[in-house]
Each structure stands twice: as structure tokens, then as C-alpha cells.
């Protein structure tokens, strides 16, 4: 019987110590944002319009403003909502010479600054609309100015420095129909007043995507796509230099 009493006392003290340790451990956890997962179980994706805007390949939100968004239609210009999609308004009519939009980026450090690249970048077999370069707004889309890169034809992405809205990188895919020098990554250090081509492969290779490192904006990654699709032939089972395009 004594053994049983000692065993019960041992288990009681062990349980007390364990509960006390758990409480101390929980008290050290920093408070965070919590929510009831059951409230979101019934949520699903839905179309929030506009219902005649056509297909879109680009959109952008605004840091710190969950109600404001922009999207670009491949044939209908730039649209804006300030109530999370309940209402949309076209904001490019009367300012843009091209209605085909390939890229939209809102500056993180100044949400009034917006850059738009024209020209539908995803190449389609049936039709691809071309653009006329880059447009900029400094008043959240109320007015726009054309800031160059007219010959890029198709722009796939625009990246803006997170702390400086005047440093911009533009990914130009270029014309889908012929070789051109207006391809590659272009950079502006003065808000689009002047441009410099900072990365280029050849007249047939355009940039299909451009990404900026979230921790170091000096690091960028560019994906290139060859517009000239040529047949290839292989000699000697594909070893080394025996693989080449045809014609050279």
C-alpha cells in the first residue's frame, strides 16, 4: 500500500510540474494575429468584374491599402477599383495610345506613382496586340504621361525599387514577328526620363518575366524566351557540337 501511495504522490507532483511548465511556455509566446478559421471555410474565388473587360495578364494592389487595385486588359486599357472590386473605372482612356496592357506596377514607397507597360506579352497563335512603350502616373491614375520605350512592342513586367520610385526596370519581350534590338531589360534611374538597356541576349530573345529579390533590390532575375522557333537536327546521337540549329 505504501508503494501505491508513493506512486500516486509521484504522479501528482509530475503532473503539476508538467502543467506549470506548459503555462510558462505558453506565456512566453508573443501575441499574434488570430482568427477563427471556421469564418473562412465557405469562401471561394469569384469574378468581381468588370464583366466586359476582356482577358487580363496583369494586376497590382497597393501596399497598405487593401481596397485599391489596378488591372490591365489586353484590349481595354487600365482599370481601377477603390472598393475591393465592387466598382471599376477605366482610367487610361484619353491618355493612352494603346489599349493593350502587359504590365502594371504601383510603387511601394509612393502609391501615387504607377508604371504601365503596354503590349500583351503572352504570345498567342491567333492574335497578339502590340503596345507603344511605358506610361506613368504620379497622381494614382488620374493623369498619365508617356515616358518612352516606344519600340518595345510587348512588355511582360515592370519592377520598381521598393524605396525609390524613380528606379525602374522594364522587361521587354519585343516584337513577336521579326528580330529587333528593342528587347531585354531596360533601366531608368530618373523616373523614366532616360533609359539604358542593361541586359540583352540577341535580337530574337525577349524577356518573358522579371523578378526582384525581396531582400536585395540590386539582385534581379530575368527569364528569356526565343521568338524565332527554328527546326533543329542532331548528328552522332546528340554528342557535343553536333547539335545545331538549321539553318545556322
Amino acid at each position: 500500500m505504501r508503494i501505491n501511495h508513493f506512486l500516486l504522490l509521484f504522479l501528482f507532483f509530475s503532473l503539476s510540474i508538467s502543467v506549470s511548465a506548459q503555462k510558462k511556455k505558453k506565456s512566453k509566446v508573443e501575441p499574434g494575429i488570430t482568427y477563427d478559421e471556421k469564418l473562412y471555410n465557405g469562401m471561394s474565388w469569384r469574378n468581381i468584374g468588370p464583366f466586359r473587360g476582356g482577358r487580363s495578364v496583369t494586376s497590382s494592389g497597393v501596399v497598405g491599402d487593401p481596397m485599391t487595385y489596378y488591372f490591365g486588359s489586353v484590349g481595354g486599357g487600365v482599370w481601377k477599383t477603390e472598393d475591393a472590386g465592387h466598382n471599376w473605372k477605366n482610367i487610361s482612356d484619353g491618355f493612352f495610345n494603346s489599349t493593350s496592357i502587359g504590365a502594371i506596377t504601383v510603387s511601394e514607397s509612393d502609391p501615387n506613382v504607377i508604371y504601365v507597360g503596354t503590349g500583351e506579352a503572352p504570345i498567342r497563335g491567333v492574335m497578339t496586340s502590340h503596345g507603344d512603350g511605358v506610361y506613368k502616373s504620379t497622381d494614382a491614375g488620374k493623369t498619365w504621361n508617356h515616358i518612352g520605350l516606344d519600340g518595345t512592342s510587348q512588355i511582360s513586367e515592370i519592377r520598381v525599387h521598393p524605396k525609390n520610385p524613380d528606379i525602374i526596370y522594364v522587361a521587354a519581350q519585343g516584337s513577336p514577328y521579326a528580330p529587333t534590338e528593342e528587347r531585354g531589360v531596360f533601366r531608368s534611374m530618373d523616373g523614366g526620363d532616360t533609359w539604358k538597356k542593361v541586359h540583352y541576349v540577341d535580337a530574337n530573345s525577349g524577356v518573358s518575366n522579371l523578378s526582384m529579390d525581396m531582400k536585395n533590390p540590386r539582385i534581379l532575375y530575368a527569364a528569356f524566351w526565343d521568338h524565332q522557333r527554328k527546326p533543329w537536327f542532331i548528328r552522332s546521337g546528340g554528342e557535343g557540337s553536333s547539335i545545331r540549329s538549321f539553318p545556322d
Side-chain angles (χ1 to χ4, degrees):
M1 294 296 292
R2 282 185 180 179
I3 295 175
N4 290 338
H5 284 303
F6 281 120
L7 181 60
L8 289 173
L9 285 172
F10 175 77
L11 290 174
F12 174 76
F13 283 115
S14 298
L15 181 61
S16 299
I17 293 170
S18 176
V19 171
S20 177
Q22 287 181 7
K23 286 182 178 179
K24 289 181 179 179
K25 189 175 181 180
K26 287 183 179 179
S27 65
K28 292 181 180 179
V29 177
E30 295 182 0
I33 299 174
T34 60
Y35 61 93
D36 186 357
E37 294 184 5
K38 294 179 181 178
L39 296 175
Y40 300 93
N41 287 341
M43 295 185 69
S44 60
W45 290 98
R46 65 189 189 279
N47 188 347
I48 59 174
F51 303 105
R52 294 298 298 273
R55 69 185 184 279
S56 172
V57 297
T58 183
S59 62
S60 179
V62 178
V63 174
D65 183 357
M67 305 297 284
T68 302
Y69 298 88
Y70 301 85
F71 91 87
S73 170
V74 299
V78 179
W79 296 71
K80 179 180 181 179
T81 179
E82 296 179 283
D83 52 18
H86 289 289
N87 296 282
W88 291 91
K89 179 183 178 181
N90 183 287
I91 58 174
S92 59
D93 284 358
F95 296 101
F96 285 37
N97 294 320
S98 173
T99 59
S100 179
I101 309 300
I104 295 179
T105 298
V106 180
S107 168
E108 292 184 34
S109 58
D110 185 353
N112 288 308
V113 178
I114 309 167
Y115 294 97
V116 172
T118 58
E120 178 190 3
I123 305 302
R124 305 173 74 239
V126 283
M127 184 189 74
T128 298
S129 303
H130 68 274
D132 66 334
V134 181
Y135 289 81
K136 177 183 180 181
S137 175
T138 56
D139 52 15
K142 294 178 181 177
T143 60
W144 298 86
N145 290 307
H146 185 265
I147 59 172
L149 299 184
D150 308 46
T152 52
S153 187
Q154 327 289 139
I155 292 176
S156 61
E157 190 60 81
I158 298 177
R159 298 297 180 186
V160 181
H161 192 286
K163 295 182 179 180
N164 188 341
D166 289 334
I167 301 178
I168 325 150
Y169 297 87
V170 172
Q173 190 157 279
S175 172
Y177 307 115
T180 174
E181 297 296 315
E182 296 297 322
R183 306 188 195 276
V185 180
F186 293 83
R187 182 186 68 196
S188 176
M189 304 289 286
D190 51 20
D193 290 337
T194 59
W195 294 93
K196 179 182 179 180
K197 190 191 296 184
V198 293
H199 190 54
Y200 174 76
V201 174
D202 57 48
N204 291 313
S205 300
V207 186
S208 58
N209 203 354
L210 182 67
S211 179
M212 179 180 287
D213 192 301
M214 295 180 67
K215 294 183 179 181
N216 187 351
R218 296 179 62 187
I219 299 175
L220 293 100
Y221 301 88
F224 278 76
W225 184 67
D226 192 337
H227 286 249
Q228 190 167 347
R229 287 166 282 184
K230 301 177 290 186
W232 291 70
F233 72 91
I234 301 174
R235 291 177 182 167
S236 304
E239 295 295 329
S241 59
S242 60
I243 304 177
R244 64 186 179 88
S245 61
F246 177 81
D248 286 335

